[in-house]
Amino acid sequence: MDVLKRIPVAEQDPEIRAHNFDEVCLGYTKEEAMKEAQRCIGCKNAQCIKGCPVAIQIPDFIAKIKEGNFEEAYHVISESSSLPAVCGRVCPQENQCEGKCIRGIKGDAISIGKLERFVADYALEHDLMPSKPESFLGKKVAVIGSGPAGLTCAGDLAKLGYQVTVFEALHELGGVLVYGIPEFRLPKHRVVAKEIQKLKSLGVQFETNVIVGKSVTIDELFEEGFDAVFVGSGAGLPKFMGIPGENANGVYSANEYLTRSNLMKACNDEYDTPMIAGKKVAVVGGGNVAMDAARTALRLGAEVHIVYRRSEAELPARAEEVHHAKEEGIVFDLLTNPVEILVDDIGNVKAMKCVKMVLGEPDASGRRRPVVQPGSEFDMEVDTVIMSLGTSPNPLISSTTEGLEVSKWKCIVADESGRTSKSGVYAGGDAVTGAATVILAMGAGKQAASAIHEDLKSK
């Protein structure tokens, strides 16, 4: 075995998967996982742990895989993570744990994410559950939002013995894990629902169709006897470019497009909310959400173009997602920017007027600023446009909670521990940072749970 090369993981053939919503990555077998684990040198000063926002004891769980003790490997992971089957699939390991892996200096980094997924899937298949608390503390915590931040905070507090109730605005649990990430990257019933069931086994209670700020306010939750409130409501308010024609029929936000496909099953003709997918679709943006929207449109039968104003080197999406999109036949129109959406006589999209860009000096983000190339204007014939330009938090919660400080971007202001300006209220994830990754939201939920415990244990 070449210890410098990682064990490859099986995937669906691109030509086949481009026409179905089944999971692309098929995961390791037991034998493959144990071989990959053998590559880990078990660093004493493990840099991979420092790269993990939830501080999983990575060398310890990999050591258990080497032994073939997958159950114990799961218990090591579950001490730190409430959603390992999710993280193993959607976490950007290449920039975090794997990015700091010592083995990666002279070869391929250990495939930590795929090993985590293997262990988590083994636990799901064998109904392994996290350890329950030895005693209950008699204190109640409300968690707003059942996305990654809320679920992590709820899981950590439940393990400590708190009575936790999660309030979800939608009719289905999971937040962005359910409405935002497509089935081919993250199976809903086989993975997300089962991970949530594990939290229920710890005693976490869930209430759906509760819009905090409308159905009930944070102040009313305190009146109902909750000792603390964690806000993990995410960032679901989409951004647009403000160009002419954006209100035309056939223009979607990526948020709407993915929600209708993932949560409302608009990709299935048998459901009551069918969605006209379009024959030629342009997705404007270059992040992971843009890749998800593009790959969804492709599976719905469209010719799909990613339109991004910078070059490939600046694409913010994970390299794996870009690779998969290219394999599936999605066209990348880089250094291209829309300036107008052209419509026909009845208000439907007929084309998108674009300009070519060149890269100038770096901007505040460190990326080279795109500048319009004179005389480069052209029309791209499309019938559907999906805007994937990021999202911001819905201000409903902050506007109905007195004493809760927000930034100029309408994000809740919280320190690194998750404490906000309002006593007893904590916040984390996209509601604080704006749109970010699942694992960073989980890390914020974990920090907040620790702060809540520290503040409440002495009361």
Side-chain angles (χ1 to χ4, degrees):
M1 185 176 101
D2 184 355
V3 296
L4 297 181
K5 296 289 185 182
R6 65 171 57 186
I7 301 298
V9 64
E11 295 178 346
Q12 273 200 80
D13 181 271
E15 292 187 7
I16 295 174
R17 72 183 191 235
H19 303 287
N20 67 55
F21 280 83
D22 297 336
E23 190 168 13
V24 169
C25 179
L26 304 179
Y28 279 142
T29 64
K30 292 181 182 180
E31 294 75 19
E32 289 168 341
M34 292 178 71
K35 282 183 180 179
E36 180 63 18
Q38 291 294 333
R39 298 180 55 239
C40 178
I41 58 179
C43 305
K44 291 184 179 179
N45 182 24
Q47 297 301 303
C48 54
I49 299 176
K50 297 177 182 178
C52 176
V54 295
I56 293 172
Q57 298 300 302
I58 294 168
D60 292 350
F61 95 75
I62 293 179
K64 296 301 179 183
I65 296 176
K66 288 181 186 180
E67 301 168 5
N69 191 344
F70 308 132
E71 182 172 345
E72 189 56 34
Y74 168 70
H75 288 303
V76 172
I77 294 174
S78 66
E79 288 176 3
S80 303
S81 175
S82 297
L83 304 169
V86 171
C87 286
R89 287 170 164 83
V90 304
C91 180
Q93 294 96 0
E94 66 275 11
N95 297 326
Q96 294 174 160
C97 55
E98 293 177 14
K100 293 185 177 295
C101 175
I102 299 300
R103 173 63 80 190
I105 295 175
K106 293 185 178 180
D108 293 339
I110 304 301
S111 190
I112 298 170
K114 297 296 189 291
L115 290 176
E116 181 183 14
R117 170 192 162 151
F118 167 77
V119 171
D121 285 357
Y122 178 89
L124 293 177
E125 291 166 10
H126 293 81
D127 295 321
L128 301 182
M129 294 294 174
S131 301
K132 292 185 177 181
E134 295 180 0
S135 60
F136 291 92
L137 303 176
K139 293 179 180 177
K140 296 169 57 179
V141 179
V143 171
I144 302 171
S146 66
L151 294 176
T152 299
C153 185
D156 280 17
L157 289 171
K159 291 172 188 175
L160 290 168
Y162 289 90
Q163 182 181 338
V164 183
T165 302
V166 178
F167 297 96
E168 169 56 47
L170 297 176
H171 62 284
E172 194 168 326
L173 299 172
V176 71
L177 305 177
V178 169
Y179 73 74
I181 303 176
E183 186 80 10
F184 54 80
R185 281 218 296 138
L186 182 62
K188 308 302 172 235
H189 297 292
R190 184 164 59 86
V191 174
V192 179
K194 285 192 174 183
E195 292 281 51
I196 291 172
Q197 188 60 43
K198 290 186 177 187
L199 297 182
K200 291 180 179 179
S201 77
L202 291 172
V204 177
Q205 298 179 353
F206 292 87
E207 293 190 23
T208 56
N209 299 308
V210 178
I211 302 173
V212 175
K214 189 172 183 180
S215 306
V216 64
T217 66
I218 286 179
D219 289 327
E220 287 170 343
L221 289 174
F222 283 120
E223 292 171 6
E224 291 175 13
F226 286 98
D227 299 287
V229 175
F230 173 74
V231 182
S233 51
L237 194 62
K239 298 177 182 177
F240 287 87
M241 295 185 69
I243 61 176
E246 272 187 331
N247 293 325
N249 298 325
V251 179
Y252 298 89
S253 70
N255 206 37
E256 177 192 355
Y257 195 84
L258 290 169
T259 299
R260 291 183 65 181
S261 176
N262 298 331
L263 185 66
M264 301 171 70
K265 310 301 181 187
C267 57
N268 190 329
D269 291 336
E270 297 176 3
Y271 277 71
D272 294 333
T273 56
M275 181 168 61
I276 300 173
K279 294 180 180 179
K280 186 171 181 181
V281 176
V283 179
V284 182
N288 289 324
V289 176
M291 300 303 143
D292 286 343
R295 296 173 70 197
T296 295
L298 180 78
R299 284 158 172 77
L300 292 175
E303 174 190 329
V304 185
H305 292 243
I306 291 279
V307 178
Y308 182 60
R309 63 181 186 154
R310 289 184 165 96
S311 71
E312 185 167 345
E314 287 80 29
L315 279 169
R318 292 183 68 187
E320 181 179 63
E321 299 307 315
V322 175
H323 171 68
H324 282 159
K326 287 183 175 180
E327 276 190 329
E328 292 166 7
I330 289 170
V331 179
F332 282 71
D333 291 310
L334 303 172
L335 291 169
T336 303
N337 201 43
V339 293
E340 183 179 357
I341 295 168
L342 306 176
V343 299
D344 61 20
D345 294 339
I346 58 173
N348 294 323
V349 174
K350 68 175 184 179
M352 188 166 68
K353 188 178 292 294
C354 300
V355 291
K356 300 299 291 184
M357 312 295 286
V358 293
L359 294 180
E361 295 299 316
D363 61 15
S365 70
R367 295 181 298 174
R368 293 173 65 191
R369 186 187 301 277
V371 180
V372 175
Q373 184 177 331
S376 62
E377 194 172 277
F378 70 98
D379 291 349
M380 178 185 293
E381 290 188 12
V382 294
D383 57 17
T384 303
V385 177
I386 302 172
M387 294 291 182
S388 183
L389 306 169
T391 55
S392 59
N394 189 315
L396 180 61
I397 290 175
S398 58
S399 65
T400 57
T401 307
E402 189 174 346
L404 189 61
E405 184 183 353
V406 296
S407 70
K408 64 180 180 181
W409 297 283
K410 305 300 181 184
C411 295
I412 296 172
V413 175
D415 63 19
E416 290 185 359
S417 71
R419 295 179 176 91
T420 72
S421 58
K422 187 175 177 68
S423 178
V425 177
Y426 306 76
D430 292 1
V432 170
T433 61
T437 63
V438 167
I439 190 63
L440 289 177
M442 289 180 63
K446 192 173 189 67
Q447 289 287 343
S450 177
I452 291 170
H453 180 53
E454 183 179 336
D455 294 345
L456 292 184
K457 66 183 179 181
S458 59
K459 290 185 179 180

